[in-house]
């Protein structure tokens, strides 16, 4: 049945794996395109998941055949030689939208980012995410976008990155942008919001900001991570000038832990300014204290 088939772009990633479970429980057979299927063989153990090996030139229209739902989770935080914000966030969305329209797919869920804005975004990342949103919502499709703050949960790249840093820290950590603000949102709340929206006509055309129940500074989140790990660490706050310098230096390193564009993104608080989409969708946001200790340990 067409209603039971969904194609998940970016389904092999952190959010994607959680979403696949939710969609499977909702009765969907999920098609997951990937360029390296051998790296994700474990997904074959997921019920109702079908991996498809694809290339750069793969025609998405064929993948979308008989699908009633396409979900776009594709995204990068940093550019590299093989991936740019323009290519991954903008050009890909344009291709997906055209293919979905050609294949007659009626429903598109699109993952964006909190404070994304094509014109006013403080970083190239946020501007590209905003441009992608506008492309998706300008199409003749029933589209809903989700704009989360930093997403946490087992297997995340946020608290787990803090843990890796603290594991090698010699008792002190210089921290750039210590006062940057975030409202961490649990991955299961995010995917629940996505699945809940599929058949709800009131969500069509909406762009939902998704936030956890509390706002933290970056320093406070580092302190929370250290507390859950039972580590004592001296966090050295870097002022704006030194934060910018650190970003410039790291930006030149392969696999940079921080880039100038990350620095620019953190100049904009990643918090919900008005409405929290989770509450609008009837979901009570989950606090980090409920979840983070279960995978970081105490």
């Amino acid at each position: 049945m067409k209603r039971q088939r969904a194609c998940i772009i970016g389904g092999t990633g952190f959010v994607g794996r959680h979403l696949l479970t939710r969609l499977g429980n909702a009765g969907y057979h999920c098609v997951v395109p990937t360029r390296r299927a051998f790296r994700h063989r474990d997904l074959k153990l997921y019920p109702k998941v079908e991996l498809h090996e694809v290339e750069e030139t793969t025609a998405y229209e064929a993948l979308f055949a008989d699908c009633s739902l396409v979900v776009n989770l594709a995204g990068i935080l940093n550019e590299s030689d093989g991936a740019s914000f323009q290519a991954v966030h903008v050009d890909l969305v344009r291709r997906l939208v055209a293919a979905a329209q050609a294949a007659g797919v009626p429903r598109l869920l699109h993952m964006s980012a909190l404070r994304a804005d094509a014109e006013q975004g403080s970083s190239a990342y946020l501007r590209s995410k905003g441009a992608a949103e506008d492309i998706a919502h300008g199409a003749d499709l029933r589209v809903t976008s989700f704009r989360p703050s930093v997403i946490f949960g087992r297997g995340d790249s946020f608290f787990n990155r803090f843990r890796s840093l603290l594991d090698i820290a010699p008792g002190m950590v210089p921290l750039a942008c210590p006062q940057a603000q975030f409202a961490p949102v649990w991955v299961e709340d995010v995917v629940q919001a996505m699945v809940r929206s599929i058949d709800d006509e009131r969500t069509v055309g909406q762009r939902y900001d998704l936030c956890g129940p509390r706002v933290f500074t970056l320093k406070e989140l580092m302190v929370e991570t250290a507390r859950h790990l039972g580590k004592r660490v001296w966090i050295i706050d870097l002022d704006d000038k030194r934060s910018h310098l650190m970003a410039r230096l790291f930006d030149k390193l392969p696999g940079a832990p921080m880039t100038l564009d990350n620095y620019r993104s953190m100049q904009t608080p990643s918090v919900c300014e008005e409405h929290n989409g989770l509450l609008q969708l009837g979901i009570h946001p989950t606090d980090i204290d409920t979840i983070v200790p279960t995978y970081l340990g105490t």
Side-chain angles (χ1 to χ4, degrees), residues 5-6 13 41 51 65 117 163 167 208 232 250 257 287:
R5 191 173 176 87
R41 287 173 293 186
L51 283 177
D117 189 307
R163 175 170 59 184
D167 283 343
Y208 289 104
R232 299 184 64 179
F250 282 0
D287 192 79

Side-chain angles (χ1 to χ4, degrees), residues 148-153 183-187 189-190 210-212 278 285-286 288:
S149 183
V150 62
I151 302 176
F152 71 92
V185 58
W186 188 32
V187 63
D189 288 342
V190 172
L210 305 181
C211 290
L278 292 179
T286 304
I288 64 171

Side-chain angles (χ1 to χ4, degrees), residues 269-280:
S270 184
V271 301
C272 291
E273 290 188 297
E274 296 181 4
H275 303 294
N276 188 342
L278 292 179
L279 296 174
Q280 292 176 282

Side-chain angles (χ1 to χ4, degrees), residues 78-95:
N78 298 321
E79 293 185 305
S80 65
D81 291 339
S84 68
F85 293 139
Q86 176 68 31
V88 177
H89 296 163
V90 181
D91 297 342
L92 176 61
V93 170
R94 191 173 283 114
R95 289 178 61 198

Side-chain angles (χ1 to χ4, degrees), residues 5 14 28 32 35 39 41 70 74 77 104 116 119 131 168 176 187 189-190 209 214 223 228 235 268 283 290-291 298:
R5 191 173 176 87
F14 166 55
Y28 279 87
V32 180
R35 293 185 188 178
R39 290 187 179 180
R41 287 173 293 186
V70 169
L77 289 175
E119 300 298 329
I168 63 173
V187 63
D189 288 342
V190 172
D209 292 350
R214 289 194 285 163
V223 169
H228 289 307
I235 299 173
T268 302
I283 300 167
T290 304
I291 304 300
T298 55

